[in-house]
Amino acid sequence: MEIEKKYGPAATIAICKLNAGETLVAEGGAFMAMQGPVDVTTTTRQKGGGGIIKGLKRIFSGESFFLNHFTAKNISEVWLGTPLPGDIMVHELQGDRLVIAGGGFVACESNVQIDLQWQGLKSIFSGEGIFWIKASGQGKVIINSFGFIYPIDVDGEYIVDTGHIVAFEETLNFEISKASKSWIDAFLSGEGFICRFKGKGRVWCQSHNPKSYGQELTPHLKPKQK
Amino acid sequence: MMEINTSPVTQIERLGTESFRLLKVLLAPGQKLIVEPGAMASMEAQLQVETLINQGFFQATLLKFLGGESFFINYFLNPDQKPRHVFLSQSTPGEIIERDLKEEKLYVQPGALIARTSQVQVQVVWAGIASWIGGEGLFRLELSGSGRIWYGCYGAMIEKEVLGDYIVDSGHLLSYPPEMKLSLKLAGSLFSSLLTREGIVLKLSGHGKIQLQTRSIKGLAQWLNPRFWG
């Protein structure tokens, strides 16, 4: 499957070119347009596993309950968009594993397994999802971001604000922690939670934090008037 | 205790585009930078972060409640022998402005400040009734001293040299120098002002360079509000 990105980095879409028999699995809501003979089925899971529980778990990861399966009967195109202004990255898995943070998953080829990974109690405090998505297998994964994406090759230790994580290679260990020396400082600093990556591997960060944008906006929003 | 290198931050890489700007700041050994809470996107683990009260207790209280800034401020310090980087961003999509102050003052929209070198002072000063009615608040954020500052802009930035009067919506005013006087003006007649929600606009008078931002968070909220609850 060939995937072309267009209109980046502020309004990126992914144009997926499918050959006959190929299937693209996309998050509900990502679909924008398509051309050609395509069968679409909607499920709460990937083929061969899960079920409703997986769908429910996906909600906790900040993703949608449903997955759409686009199967091409002949050469076709499926166009995917994203809710926030920002960029898209396409990562090809070759047996390696990728962890995708809060709401970043858009779509993948059908030979990619997506599963939910419980991030442990520590992730509850991070303000991000309790589950992150783990992608493994063979094939391309499409991931979105708020703003543009910059990769960092970690060798040793590196710190990313939890709201700025897009995805990272599973070879990295991480702990949810604080940027300051003491916990009191951490609570007062307003930096919130950070993710301390350790080991060797790549982490992709987004230039902007969707939560900060929301916090900027909410004081100006009005409650429902009866 | 290592000696603090107070030379201005020299190596800054501007990444992204004006719709999503990100700064990569390289701190030399011993160098420190004052950063607003929440501005750090990612950084090398060797950097130290220290949280202090912003400009002393009294000013910090004013800054927090009247200046739209934070009570606490973070010092990013590089105690390492090698230069280390930190990425800085802002909450809204848009441009980041870098500016050198040379013994001068500048008024910046509350909440816009991202980082500054330690010789720049921030305080909340009385802005006058006109500013308050115009939606800008009774107090304004005053930057002074000599050093480098970075502040965020929602959307793109427009710089305008004003000679005489210039009228601007308060949500779009990013910065202006102390030579400019603020006063109020109705956008149209009283009736059309109420009707169009432009209401009261700010009038800047004098001679100086002002900066505008092409988007306004209040504008976005005004557009969103009627759409939420059908």
Side-chain angles (χ1 to χ4, degrees):
Chain A
M1 191 180 302
E2 202 188 307
I3 300 169
E4 189 194 336
K5 292 188 291 177
K6 247 184 167 171
Y7 311 115
T12 316
I13 58 162
I15 301 170
C16 311
K17 291 166 182 162
L18 281 71
N19 289 318
E22 281 185 328
T23 299
L24 178 76
V25 182
E27 191 198 21
F31 171 73
M32 184 182 148
M34 64 183 180
Q35 188 174 39
V38 179
D39 273 343
V40 185
T41 52
T42 302
T43 64
T44 59
R45 59 179 170 83
Q46 265 192 306
K47 286 191 181 70
I52 289 180
I53 298 297
K54 276 211 170 164
L56 287 172
K57 270 166 80 184
R58 206 156 39 241
I59 294 178
F60 285 107
S61 74
E63 304 290 337
S64 116
F65 185 68
F66 295 106
L67 288 175
N68 291 322
H69 302 252
F70 298 89
T71 305
K73 287 187 281 192
N74 209 332
I75 294 174
S76 334
E77 268 184 19
V78 178
W79 292 35
L80 302 176
T82 68
L84 280 170
D87 210 352
I88 279 175
M89 69 178 246
V90 180
H91 181 78
E92 185 151 15
L93 290 170
Q94 290 163 328
D96 50 328
R97 287 176 178 165
L98 197 68
V99 180
I100 304 164
F105 175 79
V106 180
C108 64
E109 287 188 90
S110 56
N111 285 336
V112 173
Q113 283 82 50
I114 49 169
D115 205 349
L116 290 141
Q117 198 178 23
W118 163 252
Q119 293 305 322
L121 278 173
K122 59 190 178 185
S123 71
I124 296 175
F125 302 109
S126 76
E128 304 301 317
I130 303 171
F131 296 98
W132 282 350
I133 280 187
K134 188 159 79 178
S136 57
Q138 300 276 341
K140 289 174 179 159
V141 190
I142 304 173
I143 301 165
N144 69 19
S145 68
F146 181 37
F148 71 92
I149 298 171
Y150 63 97
I152 298 282
D153 288 315
V154 181
D155 188 3
E157 219 178 302
Y158 195 78
I159 289 170
V160 186
D161 182 285
T162 51
H164 288 267
I165 305 167
V166 176
F168 56 91
E169 289 176 337
E170 216 212 8
T171 52
L172 284 169
N173 290 315
F174 72 92
E175 59 183 57
I176 304 285
S177 166
K178 54 200 168 52
S180 314
K181 274 183 289 184
S182 77
W183 274 104
I184 293 173
D185 272 7
F187 279 109
L188 303 177
S189 72
E191 282 304 336
F193 286 89
I194 54 106
C195 202
R196 198 179 285 271
F197 289 101
K198 284 175 185 169
K200 214 171 166 151
R202 181 171 275 199
V203 51
W204 289 266
C205 309
Q206 57 191 356
S207 63
H208 285 65
N209 181 345
K211 207 166 155 185
S212 315
Y213 189 37
Q215 280 168 352
E216 190 81 26
L217 187 61
T218 35
H220 301 288
L221 297 177
K222 289 192 185 113
K224 185 174 188 172
Q225 279 162 2
K226 288 187 178 153
Chain B
M1 187 71 193
M2 85 179 292
E3 206 178 306
I4 291 189
N5 180 347
T6 51
S7 69
V9 180
T10 44
Q11 261 195 294
I12 305 263
E13 241 181 284
R14 297 171 69 79
L15 305 172
T17 58
E18 67 180 352
S19 55
F20 284 110
R21 187 68 72 198
L22 181 73
L23 298 178
K24 184 181 182 179
V25 181
L26 209 58
L27 289 178
Q31 206 165 42
K32 75 171 177 181
L33 187 69
I34 306 174
V35 178
E36 289 294 314
M40 188 271 293
S42 72
M43 67 182 205
E44 289 188 90
Q46 288 83 359
L47 291 179
Q48 272 178 12
V49 183
E50 250 176 88
T51 304
L52 295 171
I53 291 175
N54 204 352
Q55 306 267 327
F57 186 81
F58 181 66
Q59 263 302 323
T61 311
L62 292 180
L63 281 166
K64 163 94 181 147
F65 293 103
L66 307 172
E69 297 297 324
S70 321
F71 190 81
F72 294 97
I73 198 82
N74 298 323
Y75 282 75
F76 282 64
L77 175 72
N78 181 7
D80 205 28
Q81 299 304 313
K82 277 172 64 183
R84 296 290 176 187
H85 76 243
V86 51
F87 285 92
L88 300 179
S89 169
Q90 60 164 338
S91 56
T92 60
E95 186 58 287
I96 294 176
I97 318 296
E98 178 180 289
R99 194 155 166 170
D100 283 324
L101 293 183
K102 294 181 189 81
E103 287 303 321
E104 59 189 318
K105 282 180 185 170
L106 184 71
Y107 297 113
V108 173
Q109 187 173 67
L113 199 60
I114 295 171
R116 63 182 198 263
T117 52
S118 49
Q119 298 81 7
V120 176
Q121 280 85 48
V122 181
Q123 53 181 340
V124 163
V125 294
W126 175 250
I129 298 290
S131 157
W132 178 62
I133 300 172
E136 275 292 275
L138 274 170
F139 298 88
R140 56 190 175 184
L141 202 61
E142 183 187 272
L143 301 174
S144 59
S146 292
R148 193 166 289 181
I149 54 173
W150 294 267
Y151 50 96
C153 167
Y154 185 20
M157 189 272 280
I158 299 170
E159 201 161 54
K160 189 102 196 152
E161 179 146 7
V162 175
L163 184 56
D165 289 352
Y166 194 75
I167 290 166
V168 54
D169 176 84
S170 68
H172 289 272
L173 181 62
L174 181 64
S175 81
Y176 58 98
E179 298 85 61
M180 307 295 300
K181 295 278 165 285
L182 279 189
S183 58
L184 288 177
K185 202 179 175 323
L186 286 175
S189 67
L190 184 59
F191 184 66
S192 74
S193 289
L194 289 172
L195 212 62
T196 59
R197 292 203 184 188
E198 288 301 336
I200 293 160
V201 290
L202 292 173
K203 187 169 87 174
L204 290 152
S205 322
H207 185 195
K209 262 191 191 152
I210 65 162
Q211 289 176 325
L212 307 175
Q213 57 185 13
T214 58
R215 292 286 176 275
S216 137
I217 215 78
K218 277 180 232 160
L220 175 63
Q222 271 174 16
W223 182 86
L224 281 172
N225 275 327
R227 281 167 177 81
F228 275 135
W229 311 110

